[in-house]
Amino acid sequence: MLLRKPSPLDGSDIPSSEITPRADYQRFLQERKTQDRRSFLGAAAATGAAVLGAGRLASLVNPGQSVFAAGKLQTVPSPLSTHGEQLTSYHDLTTFNNFYEFGVDKSAPARNAGGLPTRPWSIHVSGLVQKEKTIDIDSILKLHALEDRTYRHRCVEGWSMVIPWVGYSFSEFIQQCQPLSTAKYVQFYSYFDKKVDKWWAESSIDWPYSEGLRMDEAMNPLTLLTVGLYGDVLPNQNGAPVRIVLPWKYGFKSAKSIVAVRFVSKQPPTTWNDMAPNEYGFYSNVNPNVDHPRWSQKTERRIGLPFYAQRRDTLMYNGYGDFVASMYQGMDLRKYF
Amino acid sequence: MKRSTLVLLKTLVWAACLIPAARLAYGAITNHLGADPTRTITFMAGLAALRLLVISLAITPVRQLFPRLSWLIRFRRLLGLFAFFYASLHLFAYVGLYSYFDPHTMIADILKRRFITVGIAAWLLLVPLAVTSTTGWIRRLSGRRWNQLHKLVYLSVCLGILHYWWQVKTGVLTPLGITIIMAALFIARPLLNWRKRNKLAASTV
């Protein structure tokens, strides 16, 4: 049974910073209720947000239990998850998005991404692989245990969030792809259809959106093939049904709604790097010492906090240096920004 | 124009000019300024300032094209001062909400971030215009000098729009609409002046 009335809130071993503010939870539940994605949600919400909130606590104590009572994804905790920071609320995560196919305004994707056809869905694997193949979303969901991975998220524009993603290391997926030893880079392509992404002309981007990684970056355990948010499937505006998340790089590297993965021998072209190579590097690792030509990257503003508490120092590699710094040893990070 | 009509129209223009401020106030009270209220406040105030500046610049060409609308001139000062109000609100949002009134941050920004440099310049250019907008100053400066001084508004609006373009990510086309309108106004002025001269010439022959 997924919904279980917990003993009085006894999650004192959970750091308070790990708990989403109650108000956000209630707002979140309210939204789910109005969306009416599952009829039993109404009943769940009626049982009380406190119970569900406690359900989240229970799930942390008792791995294997679904994060939300009605959560669609069965998840397990991960040692690679970031602790000790207040999560950005579900409401903020789903109403403040950069997903230019659905409009350049940050509130536009929440309004416009409803038409994204997330089922059926598959990723086409091609390039330097033993055999081209197409992997459908159900296989992707079953390929490996789904982990709760909270990561900091730093946008190149200077704001940041803390996001509880669900997914598993992309390296698990790569193994299924059987790349050849000549494959040095991985390229991602996002979904694009002018009939669905009607807002594509609000920017002069050459669609479809594409991103790329060096092979060792793609194999890094932090590189997350992401299928969920807050224990539930990804909302469309967050890149449903499957995306990549790279917590040590600026957000735009984390391509959304991926339909194709290609293994190549040379550094592939990537969307923002093509748009303005002096502003957005191929690597785009979070680096407070290398400013964007038009603004400083030394600090960031954390979304969801009161304005006087928002500003904080940006960390090298967004604080994930222990996992990733070795990959860039000896590289001139001013040149390869 | 009858005095009562003028009062009514002025009231309407005041109300229209206050819409962005009212929306911000309502959003702040009901917590509907989005995930990033700082950005929403700054953006909406800046956009209101630019729009009002462009509308105030449109008044002269519209009067030249449609002489019957020449009474529009009575609203230009009002629009200009509201533009200055929103530009100041925009600047204050940057100083207070983004920079926490920290002079070091601001100086570094103004030197380093060129979109802020031009933004500050655009606001500074508006200051003497707002100061000399009173009837007393118009008299003191006499018509011609006052007119020359107030040509600065063109420079200010250009810098304002440049500030907008430099602030958005490369390739984002949101500032395009207002840029086209401003460009049209810039082209309209010499064209209309040329038409006026031709007419004058024709009538004197």
Side-chain angles (χ1 to χ4, degrees), chain A residues 92 96 98 100 104 157 201-204 272 275 279-280 291 294-295 301 303 307-308 310-311, chain B residues 31 35-36 38-39 96-98 100 112-115 165-174:
Chain A
D92 285 351
F96 191 80
N98 276 334
Y100 286 2
V104 297
E157 294 166 353
E202 287 186 14
S203 67
S204 56
W272 283 105
M275 288 289 293
E279 297 188 356
Y280 312 103
D291 284 344
R294 290 181 286 149
W295 56 79
R301 289 184 316 115
I303 297 297
F307 80 88
Y308 50 81
Q310 281 191 307
R311 180 107 21 218
Chain B
N31 198 17
D36 192 355
T38 297
R39 188 179 164 278
L97 302 181
Y98 276 97
Y100 303 169
K112 167 80 200 177
R113 295 153 88 166
R114 61 183 186 187
F115 81 92
W165 278 110
W166 278 353
Q167 185 269 326
V168 298
K169 274 213 210 101
T170 308
V172 173
L173 304 175
T174 330

Side-chain angles (χ1 to χ4, degrees), chain A residues 134-186:
Chain A
T134 302
I135 306 180
D136 71 276
I137 186 69
D138 291 313
S139 316
I140 292 167
L141 287 167
K142 282 182 221 136
L143 206 135
H144 191 268
L146 300 179
E147 301 169 14
D148 281 312
R149 286 228 204 147
T150 296
Y151 284 154
R152 282 180 291 272
H153 177 94
R154 170 64 156 79
C155 178
V156 73
E157 294 166 353
W159 50 267
S160 65
M161 294 174 161
V162 183
I163 310 180
W165 300 111
V166 175
Y168 50 80
S169 294
F170 184 58
S171 57
E172 305 287 343
F173 183 88
I174 292 182
Q175 275 180 18
Q176 298 292 314
C177 301
Q178 296 177 287
L180 305 174
S181 61
T182 45
K184 300 291 180 227
Y185 292 86
V186 192

Side-chain angles (χ1 to χ4, degrees), chain B residues 14-198:
Chain B
W14 263 86
C17 288
L18 281 169
I19 288 173
R23 281 177 62 190
L24 283 177
Y26 180 77
I29 293 163
T30 58
N31 198 17
H32 272 95
L33 291 176
D36 192 355
T38 297
R39 188 179 164 278
T40 310
I41 294 166
T42 316
F43 179 72
M44 280 178 67
L47 193 62
L50 272 182
R51 283 178 173 166
L52 286 168
L53 276 181
V54 168
I55 293 172
S56 73
L57 286 183
I59 285 182
T60 299
V62 168
R63 287 173 80 225
Q64 284 178 314
L65 273 176
F66 310 102
R68 284 209 308 185
L69 295 179
S70 34
W71 50 267
L72 281 174
I73 191 73
R74 289 162 181 259
F75 300 95
R76 195 169 64 177
R77 173 162 67 187
L78 188 57
L79 293 170
L81 283 173
F82 262 112
F84 181 66
F85 163 70
Y86 283 112
S88 304
L89 183 64
H90 177 73
L91 177 67
F92 187 74
Y94 162 69
V95 171
L97 302 181
Y98 276 97
S99 311
Y100 303 169
F101 303 99
D102 176 10
H104 300 291
T105 312
M106 285 186 280
I107 290 166
D109 266 354
I110 292 164
L111 297 178
K112 167 80 200 177
R113 295 153 88 166
R114 61 183 186 187
F115 81 92
I116 292 181
T117 319
V118 294
I120 300 265
W123 181 82
L124 283 174
L125 285 172
L126 289 180
V127 175
L129 308 195
V131 170
T132 59
S133 67
T134 60
T135 318
W137 267 106
I138 296 175
R139 247 186 240 126
R140 227 168 297 166
L141 285 172
S142 81
R144 203 172 58 86
R145 272 196 300 170
W146 188 89
N147 271 329
Q148 277 175 342
L149 175 68
H150 279 246
K151 289 244 159 42
L152 281 178
V153 72
Y154 285 96
L155 187 55
S156 174
V157 79
C158 281
L159 292 177
I161 284 173
L162 189 62
H163 166 72
Y164 193 2
W165 278 110
W166 278 353
Q167 185 269 326
V168 298
K169 274 213 210 101
T170 308
V172 173
L173 304 175
T174 330
L176 193 60
I178 200 160
T179 309
I180 290 171
I181 295 171
M182 187 197 65
L185 290 173
F186 265 79
I187 297 164
R189 274 202 104 106
L191 278 182
L192 286 167
N193 284 339
W194 177 75
R195 200 181 72 146
K196 201 163 110 188
R197 271 201 307 276
N198 271 13

Side-chain angles (χ1 to χ4, degrees), chain A residues 4 32 49 62 64 83 107 138 153 175 188 194 271 283 291 305 319-320 329 331:
Chain A
R4 170 171 70 94
R32 304 246 311 208
N62 176 16
H83 292 280
S107 60
D138 291 313
H153 177 94
Q175 275 180 18
F188 305 99
K194 280 186 187 177
T271 295
Y283 289 95
D291 284 344
L305 300 183
Y320 296 102
Q329 236 161 31
M331 276 172 70

